[in-house]
Amino acid sequence: CPAPKFAKLNVEGLTRPSEEDSISAKYPIYDMFVGYPSSTTVTDAIITGNPYPVKALIFHGGNQAITWPNSKKVNEALSNLDLLVVIDMFMTDTAERADLFLPISTFLERKILVDYHVAAQIPRILRTEPVIEPLGEAKEDWRIWSELGIKMVGNQYFPWEDADDIYEAYLKPSGITIDELKQKPGGIEYA
């Protein structure tokens, strides 16, 4: 039985580093699956400054301080950062080390667009409504990233006022609209 072939991610506007430039060139298995360098190897770059210095990181979810390989080395690397921002629902070990913690809302506090084709190979997409308002200072993921983007480059790249605005843009190529999804709580099958 021949080995399976894995498609490389093709993200318009992003370039894939060459093996000479890549901090993950020594991780060909991971690279084969995702098509981009492994984020776990950034630990070495933070500590050594090679192939370039890493002074700040934003982590969105997870608990890298204890889940990335060699947690002792990861914690050393995190201590070397000038700025660590964590976006998460939970005050994890990594979040406790953060210079800035940005709380995100739970699935009960936000609209969610679920594309089962991506997650489980089922051609169905649906949209949910929030059950409650976000608690405390929590915000939806998209809003945090949009606000950060607007602060950095202005709102021309972050025009959305609501999660449905982003979902409309995501769905546009499919021809499915948010209004259609609102009318069908069980979702819409698509090919």
Side-chain angles (χ1 to χ4, degrees):
C1 179
K5 301 243 185 256
F6 297 95
K8 298 290 186 187
L9 295 176
N10 182 12
V11 182
E12 190 175 327
L14 296 179
T15 58
R16 185 168 186 251
S18 68
E19 287 203 3
E20 297 80 40
D21 298 330
S22 175
I23 59 173
S24 75
K26 63 184 179 179
Y27 296 93
I29 303 290
Y30 182 93
D31 200 39
M32 177 181 73
F33 285 100
V34 301
Y36 289 97
S38 167
S39 58
T40 59
T41 59
V42 78
T43 314
D44 289 332
I46 295 169
I47 293 170
T48 66
N50 188 19
Y52 45 79
V54 176
K55 300 294 184 183
L57 283 176
I58 300 175
F59 287 131
H60 187 148
N63 189 4
Q64 295 77 7
I66 64 170
T67 61
W68 277 10
N70 195 342
S71 60
K72 183 178 178 183
K73 190 174 186 179
V74 171
N75 282 288
E76 176 189 347
L78 296 178
S79 297
N80 288 347
L81 292 170
D82 292 342
L83 176 66
L84 175 60
V85 178
V86 173
I87 302 168
D88 207 326
M89 285 186 281
F90 307 104
M91 187 53 69
T92 64
D93 293 34
T94 308
E96 287 179 359
R97 298 171 128 310
D99 299 295
L100 179 61
F101 176 75
L102 301 172
I104 59 171
S105 57
T106 69
F107 72 97
L108 296 171
E109 302 165 319
R110 61 180 171 225
K111 295 175 186 173
I112 300 175
L113 187 69
V114 181
D115 185 348
Y116 287 107
H117 191 269
V118 172
Q121 299 303 308
I122 302 168
R124 178 176 293 279
I125 193 160
L126 62 91
R127 180 191 160 279
T128 66
E129 286 287 343
V131 177
I132 60 173
E133 290 295 316
L135 300 174
E137 296 180 40
K139 293 183 179 183
E140 293 177 88
D141 308 54
W142 74 269
R143 188 169 302 279
I144 290 172
W145 285 105
S146 288
E147 288 179 8
L148 287 171
I150 289 167
K151 296 271 188 210
M152 291 170 40
V153 297
N155 64 355
Q156 69 270 24
Y157 299 108
F158 303 91
W160 310 288
E161 297 293 326
D162 184 80
D164 282 341
D165 295 340
I166 294 172
Y167 297 158
E168 280 290 354
Y170 173 77
L171 290 171
K172 189 173 184 173
S174 74
I176 299 170
T177 67
I178 290 299
D179 287 337
E180 288 176 286
L181 288 173
K182 287 179 182 178
Q183 294 170 18
K184 298 190 179 187
I188 295 174
E189 287 189 24
Y190 66 96

